[in-house]
Amino acid sequence: MKLTKLGHACVRLQQGDTTIVIDPGMFTEPDALAGADAVLITHEHFDHFVEGQLRAALEADPALRVWTNSAVAAQLDGVRQRVTVVGEGDAFEVGGLGVTVHGEWHAVIHPDIPRITNIGFTVGGRLFHPGDALTVPPLPVDTLLVPTGTPWSKASELIDYVREVKPAHAIGIHEAVLSEVGQQLFGRLLGEGGPGTGAPLRQLAAGEQVDLG
C-alpha cells in the first residue's frame, strides 16, 4: 500500500488498481480526487469535506463512490445513490480492499460547542485515519494517522494516543493550522525529543509519497 499526503487531513491510498482518498477538504490540492475509486469522509467540517468539490468530482467520474456518515450524506442530495452511510462497526470493500469504521463523535472542542458525528476508517486492516477524534481502533494497525494541529488536543494527549494504539508507524495529519515552528515542535514532542511513543511521528510534505509495505 502506498500513501500520498495531499494536504492537511487528506491522504490518497493506493494498493494494486485500487485508489482511496480520505477527507479531501478546503486545504487539499484541487486534483486530490482525480482517479479515485472511492472517497471516505470522516465528518462535515470544511477542512475535511467541501460539498462543491465532491459534487464536481462525482460529476466528472460516474464510477466514483462515497462512504461517510449521515450528516455528510444529508448534504449530498441528488447524488445520494452514490453515497453509502456508514457508522461504528460497519465494514465494506473497495476494489477488494477492506475498510472498517470506528468511532462516533468528534472530539470536544469546548463544552459550549455542540459536538458533531465523526467516524474513523481502518483501511486494509493496516492503516487508521481517525478524523477529528482520538478513537482507538479495536484491532492493531501498522500505521496511525495522528491529527496534530487541532483546536481540541494537546501534546500529552497525542503522545498517550500513539502509546495506546501501539502502531509501528505514526504519520502526522491535520497540520495546516500550525506554523512551520509549530510543526517542528509537535514533530519533536512526538518524536525523539519527547518522552517516547514507540512510533516517532513522521511528517510528510504535500505530495510526498511513502510505501507502507
Side-chain angles (χ1 to χ4, degrees), residues 8 12 18 20 34-35 40 60 63 105 112 187 204:
H8 195 55
R12 174 188 291 262
T18 301
I20 295 174
L40 315 182
W105 294 103
D112 292 344
L204 303 178

Side-chain angles (χ1 to χ4, degrees), residues 30-117:
D31 61 350
L33 296 174
D37 299 296
V39 183
L40 315 182
I41 300 175
T42 63
H43 65 289
E44 63 198 273
H45 283 161
F46 71 91
D47 54 334
H48 299 256
F49 162 63
V50 178
E51 179 186 346
Q53 175 180 305
L54 184 54
R55 285 184 180 273
L58 289 165
E59 182 177 348
D61 183 359
L64 184 62
R65 296 293 182 270
V66 179
W67 279 264
T68 187
N69 63 23
S70 58
V72 173
Q75 300 182 46
L76 294 171
D77 288 341
V79 292
R80 286 290 297 274
Q81 72 277 10
R82 297 166 64 185
V83 179
T84 301
V85 174
V86 290
E88 165 68 37
D90 286 339
F92 56 94
E93 287 193 357
V94 179
L97 192 59
V99 181
T100 55
V101 183
H102 309 289
E104 297 182 80
W105 294 103
H106 191 289
V108 175
I109 299 173
H110 187 276
D112 292 344
I113 299 176
R115 293 177 78 184
I116 62 170
T117 53

Side-chain angles (χ1 to χ4, degrees), residues 1 13 15 20 91-93 96-102 121-129 137-144 165 167-168 212-213:
M1 181 184 293
L13 304 174
Q15 182 167 297
I20 295 174
F92 56 94
E93 287 193 357
L97 192 59
V99 181
T100 55
V101 183
H102 309 289
F121 297 100
T122 296
V123 180
R126 299 168 57 195
L127 175 143
F128 184 61
H129 189 310
L139 296 175
V141 292
D142 185 65
T143 301
L144 175 66
V165 177
L212 302 180

